[in-house]
């Protein structure tokens, strides 16, 4: 029973946290904080009394070391940590030296914020060092250590850096082979979820609720497939040389499993699958599968026959994926060479055309505004306002994103303080209970960081309440002050995002759509040039990644706080982009460069003409009320003509995006293309 429960827990974790990356990050942060605190406490009690600033810096940099350091490889991570530690010691020294000159210290803080934000143009290392510098100056100005205590204060950052590296390199190391195996297991698990759902609806009419659930399962599958693809080592150009490469073979199996699962869902919407076939696929009943294979030719291209073909394909792809997982468990993918998995360096743009530099200016201005109003509220606690204004710009690409993040931080702080106040009051004077509760909250905060910023802020606010309670400074006025300062910082960040270099949500969406259209244009252009195989597969995966960017950019448009009447249209339009992305993968798999095929060439030319006409319209497609699709009843002939139908369906989807715009209908576009070729 315990063993079964353990497997259930592991399956649940993999289903919700592919590759267990969130779990590992949360454990890293929690263990680094705990071990750093214990080391500092041992030094404090046995060797040298340490000031509070040493403990504060040790804890904060333990967090930054676990979250901000994103370099690949232990040696590169150690170099980044050491640079971050040096930056931390330097800015803490500056903050301590300027303590008697508060105005100058505040101005220097803004300079540190500007440099830390601009450092992101240098990639992961610049981002990490910038975060170390910002949080260290923040803590130095907050605790105000005397110059004489600086040597003792420096022990905190040094311990945090060393402990953090040991935790990440020894206790919970990075291992792309392990992560690849876990992500493949997650892909297999999500395919099983799709099959179980198809078994439930087999032989019956599919309702809208079932369709919505299958679409959600499809999205979850896409999410973990994209993650698994990042773990497969690739050449710098991103295209494999041939199928003999073990990494290439694995990429093909993953690609086929993803496409087969999507095809099974698409075709099941039009003709529910037979229960016996779904059950045979789940159980890998070879005799039953062979029986259906013998029947499928008699059915022909009828909807039921195409659904059967899709499920047979999914059964075969699932078996191939299971075999790859078994081989990975046995060999650890030792046959795959990761030495070629290199990232090509790119030139850095230091102009304001670079969105990272524009964001740095936004962050600095927002911090200055938050500092000014925060000082009016409190001379001692204004740092909270600056912290909020700085963090609301992290991982955002539009003013709508920034506003959503600011709202999340504000709500998380309010509700976290409310719960934290109750907890701190109930366990007041019981550090034996408060410390474990705080550790659990830290773990939960960083486990949910990538899922919900509001949830992360909620748990961190609880931790702060518990810390205030254990140190005897917890008061209702202090908590009200924290809420007020957080609101000031969030409001400053939102205001600047809307006024200074504003990146409208529609503008960010236009940019994401332009990349999607260009990726689709590249795929069609490659077809016209006679390319096939891995090149087409890589280009279709690029379209997939661009579609994900489109969904992220469109997210603020569908938020209830923004425009409550739009989510239906947003989802309908995204469904068209998803359909087009799916047919692009069908096209990449099915297309074999022919010596000469005028029909395919005409379809390619027609689709390219549609892209040229549709792309300039950008995000206006999200404002259009949709009519029913003209392609209802069309089925994927898995046995033949996949390339031709893929091109037709891409053209039809492009036409549906802008039905009210001046876009050529698909039939007209094809006719014009045909006339141009004589």
């Amino acid at each position: 029973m315990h063993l079964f429960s353990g497997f259930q827990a592991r399956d649940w974790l993999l289903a919700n946290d592919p590759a267990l990356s969130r779990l590992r990050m949360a454990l890293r942060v929690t263990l680094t904080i705990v071990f750093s605190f214990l080391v500092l406490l041992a030094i404090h009690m046995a060797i040298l009394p340490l000031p509070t600033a040493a403990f504060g810096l040790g804890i904060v940099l333990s967090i930054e070391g676990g979250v901000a350091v994103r370099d690949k490889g232990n040696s590169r991570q150690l170099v980044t940590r050491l640079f971050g530690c040096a930056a931390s010691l330097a800015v803490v020294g500056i903050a301590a030296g300027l303590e008697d000159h508060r105005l100058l210290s505040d101005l220097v803080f803004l300079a540190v914020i500007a440099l830390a934000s601009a450092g992101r143009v240098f990639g992961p290392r610049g981002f990490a060092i910038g975060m170390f510098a910002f949080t260290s100056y923040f803590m130095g100005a907050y605790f105000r250590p005397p110059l004489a205590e600086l040597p003792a204060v420096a022990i905190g950052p040094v311990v945090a850096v060393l402990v953090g590296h040991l935790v990440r390199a020894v206790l919970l190391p990075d291992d792309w082979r392990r992560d690849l195996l876990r992500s493949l297991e997650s892909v297999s698990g999500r395919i099983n979820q799709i099959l179980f759902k198809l078994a439930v609806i087999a032989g019956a009419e599919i309702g809208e609720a079932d369709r919505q659930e299958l679409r959600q399962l499809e999205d979850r599958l896409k999410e973990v497939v994209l993650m698994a693809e990042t773990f497969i080592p690739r050449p710098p150009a991103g295209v494999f040389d041939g199928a003999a490469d073990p990494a290439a073979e694995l990429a093909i199996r993953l690609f086929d499993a993803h496409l087969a699962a999507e095809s099974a869902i698409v075709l099941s919407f039009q003709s529910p699958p037979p229960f016996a076939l779904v059950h045979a696929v789940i159980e890998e009943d070879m005799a039953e599968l062979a029986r259906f294979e013998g029947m499928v030719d008699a059915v022909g291209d009828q909807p039921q026959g195409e659904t059967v073909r899709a499920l047979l394909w999914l059964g075969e792809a699932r078996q191939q994926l299971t075999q790859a997982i078994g081989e990975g468990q046995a060999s650890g993918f030792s046959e795959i060479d990761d030495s070629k998995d290199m990232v090509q360096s790119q030139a850095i743009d230091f102009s304001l055309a670079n969105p990272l530099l524009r964001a740095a200016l936004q962050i600095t201005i927002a911090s200055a505004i938050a500092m000014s109003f925060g000082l009016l509220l409190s001379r001692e606690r204004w740092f909270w306002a600056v912290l909020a204004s700085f963090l609301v710009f992290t991982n955002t690409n539009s003013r709508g994103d920034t506003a959503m993040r600011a709202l999340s931080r504000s709500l998380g702080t309010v509700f976290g303080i409310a719960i934290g106040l109750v907890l701190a009051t109930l366990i007041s004077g019981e550090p034996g209970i408060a410390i474990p509760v705080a550790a659990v909250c830290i773990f939960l905060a960083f486990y949910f960081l990538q899922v919900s910023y509001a949830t992360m802020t909620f748990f961190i606010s609880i931790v702060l309440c518990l810390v205030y309670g254990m140190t005897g400074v917890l008061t209702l006025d202090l908590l009200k002050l924290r809420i007020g300062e957080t609101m000031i910082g969030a409001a400053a960040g939102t205001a600047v995002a809307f006024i200074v270099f504003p990146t409208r949500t529609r503008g960010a969406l236009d940019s994401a759509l332009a990349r999607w259209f260009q990726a689709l244009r590249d795929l069609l252009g490659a077809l016209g040039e006679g390319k096939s195989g891995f090149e087409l597969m890589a280009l279709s995966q690029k379209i997939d990644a661009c579609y994900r960017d489109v969904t992220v950019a469109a997210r603020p448009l569908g938020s209830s706080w923004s425009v409550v009447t739009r989510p239906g249209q947003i989802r309908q339009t995204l469904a068209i982009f998803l359909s087009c992305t799916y047919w692009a993968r069908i096209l990449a798999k099915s297309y074999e460069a022919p010596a000469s095929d005028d029909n395919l060439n005409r379809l390619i030319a027609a689709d390219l003409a549609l892209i040229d006409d549709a792309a300039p319209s950008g995000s206006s497609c999200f404002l259009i009320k949709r009519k029913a699709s003209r392609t209802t009843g069309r089925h994927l002939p898995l046995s033949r003509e996949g390339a031709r139908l893929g091109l037709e369906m891409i053209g039809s989807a492009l036409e549906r995006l802008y039905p009210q715009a001046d876009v050529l209908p698909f039939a007209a576009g094809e006719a014009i293309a045909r006339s141009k070729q004589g």
Side-chain angles (χ1 to χ4, degrees):
M1 178 64 72
H2 293 297
L3 181 61
F4 180 69
S5 299
F7 281 124
Q8 282 186 319
R10 185 174 184 275
D11 290 342
W12 182 88
L13 281 172
L14 283 173
N16 293 276
D17 180 18
L20 302 182
S21 55
R22 287 164 45 201
L23 175 66
R24 194 160 56 251
M25 185 182 73
L27 284 173
R28 282 171 177 166
V29 172
T30 305
L31 291 177
T32 303
I33 290 175
V34 170
F35 291 156
S36 295
F37 178 79
L38 291 176
V39 170
L40 291 172
L41 185 62
I43 294 174
H44 177 75
M45 298 178 66
I47 302 175
L48 174 70
L50 296 178
T52 305
F55 286 91
L57 281 166
I59 292 173
V60 169
L61 296 189
S62 294
I63 295 174
E64 295 300 342
V67 175
V69 178
R70 304 172 183 173
D71 302 85
K72 286 188 175 181
N74 291 334
S75 59
R76 291 183 58 83
Q77 291 170 7
L78 180 59
V79 170
T80 298
R81 291 176 190 276
L82 293 176
F83 276 121
C85 183
S88 171
L89 297 178
V91 298
V92 169
I94 293 173
L98 295 178
E99 176 55 34
D100 294 333
H101 308 279
R102 293 304 305 162
L103 178 59
L104 181 59
S105 177
D106 296 345
L107 294 176
V108 171
F109 192 12
L110 292 177
V112 169
I113 290 172
L115 292 173
S117 305
R120 297 174 183 180
V121 301
F122 294 102
R125 177 166 292 169
F127 173 81
I129 295 173
M131 292 302 296
F132 271 68
F134 167 75
T135 52
S136 295
Y137 199 101
F138 173 91
M139 298 301 289
Y142 186 82
F143 286 109
R144 304 178 186 177
L147 288 173
E149 292 184 353
L150 284 183
V153 170
I155 295 176
V158 172
V159 168
V161 164
L162 295 179
V163 170
H165 184 70
L166 288 175
V167 168
R168 185 158 184 173
V170 179
L171 292 182
L172 296 168
D174 290 316
D175 184 347
W176 69 264
R177 289 183 170 87
R178 174 202 60 207
D179 292 341
L180 174 59
L181 179 60
R182 286 175 176 168
S183 62
L184 291 177
E185 290 173 344
S186 294
V187 172
S188 178
R190 294 191 180 184
I191 289 176
N192 290 340
Q193 289 177 340
I194 291 172
L195 287 170
F196 293 149
K197 182 60 184 178
L198 290 177
V200 171
I201 63 175
E205 190 68 26
I206 300 179
E208 185 56 36
D210 293 325
R211 289 173 179 265
Q212 186 63 28
E213 184 176 349
L214 281 169
R215 291 189 189 101
Q216 291 173 350
L217 291 173
E218 182 182 353
D219 288 340
R220 287 169 59 82
L221 175 63
K222 180 188 295 292
E223 168 193 304
V224 72
V225 166
L226 289 172
M227 173 179 285
E229 288 171 351
T230 64
F231 293 126
I232 301 177
R234 295 176 180 271
V239 179
F240 295 108
D241 296 329
D245 186 340
E249 181 182 353
L250 181 58
I252 291 174
R253 293 187 184 187
L254 184 62
F255 185 85
D256 276 352
H258 182 199
L259 190 52
E262 282 191 316
S263 298
I265 291 175
V266 169
L267 292 167
S268 294
F269 285 166
Q270 302 180 27
S271 178
F275 174 80
L277 176 57
V278 179
H279 184 266
V281 172
I282 294 174
E283 298 297 329
E284 297 185 4
D285 185 341
M286 304 309 297
E288 187 71 4
L289 290 174
R291 185 176 72 85
F292 274 98
E293 286 177 358
M295 296 170 51
V296 74
D297 290 335
V299 181
D301 289 343
Q302 295 301 313
Q304 183 72 22
E306 295 303 336
T307 303
V308 169
R309 288 190 179 95
L311 278 165
L312 290 172
W313 178 20
L314 177 56
E316 181 182 355
R318 179 170 173 259
Q319 290 175 7
Q320 292 290 325
L321 183 63
T322 302
Q323 181 182 351
I325 292 172
E327 293 170 354
Q329 291 171 337
S331 67
F333 301 109
S334 58
E335 72 280 4
I336 297 180
D337 180 17
D338 64 339
S339 61
K340 60 187 178 183
D341 188 19
M342 298 176 294
V343 178
Q344 294 176 313
S345 59
Q346 299 178 345
I348 299 175
D349 181 8
F350 289 101
S351 71
L352 286 178
N354 189 334
L356 292 174
L357 288 179
R358 293 201 301 271
L361 186 57
Q362 287 178 314
I363 292 170
T364 305
I365 294 174
S367 298
I369 295 173
M371 181 184 294
S372 301
F373 284 94
L375 284 168
L376 295 177
L377 197 60
S378 171
R379 183 57 199 162
E380 303 299 323
R381 308 287 182 176
W382 59 270
F383 304 104
W384 289 331
V386 175
L387 181 66
S389 65
F390 184 93
L391 294 179
V392 295
F393 284 95
T394 304
N395 296 327
T396 60
N397 58 13
S398 70
R399 64 189 189 185
D401 262 354
T402 304
M404 289 175 63
R405 192 172 178 87
L407 181 62
S408 296
R409 185 172 184 86
S410 300
L411 291 176
T413 300
V414 171
F415 286 105
I417 284 178
I419 300 299
L421 179 60
V422 174
L423 280 176
T425 302
L426 291 175
I427 58 179
S428 177
E430 298 289 343
I433 300 176
I435 292 176
V437 171
V440 170
C441 288
I442 290 172
F443 171 83
L444 292 174
F446 292 97
Y447 183 79
F448 288 105
L449 172 61
Q450 298 174 9
V451 177
S452 170
Y453 186 64
T455 303
M456 187 276 289
T457 308
F458 170 80
F459 284 112
I460 289 295
S461 298
I462 292 176
V463 172
L464 289 175
C465 288
L466 295 174
V467 171
Y468 293 151
M470 286 186 287
T471 55
V473 297
L474 180 66
T475 64
L476 189 58
D477 288 339
L478 179 64
L479 298 181
K480 288 180 179 178
L481 182 60
R482 177 167 178 79
I483 292 174
E485 295 284 0
T486 299
M487 296 292 187
I488 288 174
T494 303
V496 169
F498 275 78
I499 297 173
V500 181
F501 294 125
T503 301
R504 298 171 58 245
T505 299
R506 290 278 303 277
L509 184 53
D510 284 336
S511 298
L513 288 173
R515 294 192 296 272
W516 184 89
F517 278 117
Q518 185 58 50
L520 182 58
R521 187 183 285 112
D522 290 342
L523 174 64
L524 295 175
L527 297 179
E529 295 171 5
K531 296 180 179 178
S532 60
F534 288 116
E535 289 180 289
L536 297 186
M537 190 174 77
L539 289 171
S540 71
Q541 289 170 333
K542 182 180 178 182
I543 298 173
D544 233 1
C546 290
Y547 168 76
R548 180 177 55 181
D549 293 341
V550 170
T551 62
V552 171
R555 183 175 53 199
L557 288 179
S559 299
S560 58
W561 64 268
S562 175
V563 184
V564 296
T565 60
R566 288 188 183 175
Q569 294 170 214
I570 302 301
R571 285 194 293 267
Q572 289 173 1
T573 305
L574 285 176
I576 297 175
F577 280 106
L578 176 61
S579 171
C580 198
T581 301
Y582 162 72
W583 287 108
R585 283 196 298 279
I586 288 286
L587 182 58
K589 177 178 175 59
S590 305
Y591 188 84
E592 295 180 2
S596 177
D597 190 326
D598 291 339
N599 288 330
L600 288 180
N601 289 334
R602 281 195 293 269
L603 290 170
I604 292 170
D607 284 354
L608 287 170
L610 282 168
I611 292 175
D612 291 338
D613 287 328
S617 299
S619 57
S620 62
C621 59
F622 283 89
L623 306 177
I624 298 172
K625 292 185 177 180
R626 301 284 162 197
K627 297 179 181 179
S629 171
R630 299 185 333 178
T631 59
T632 300
R634 296 298 301 275
H635 305 280
L636 168 65
L638 294 172
S639 55
R640 61 183 183 273
E641 297 183 343
R644 180 190 61 77
L645 185 57
L647 287 167
E648 289 181 356
M649 298 298 281
I650 288 173
S652 179
L654 291 171
E655 178 188 348
R656 289 172 56 211
L657 280 174
Y658 304 94
Q660 299 176 6
D662 187 17
V663 179
L664 291 171
F666 180 75
E670 183 182 356
I672 290 176
R674 187 183 299 112
S675 66
K676 287 181 179 179
Q677 297 186 11

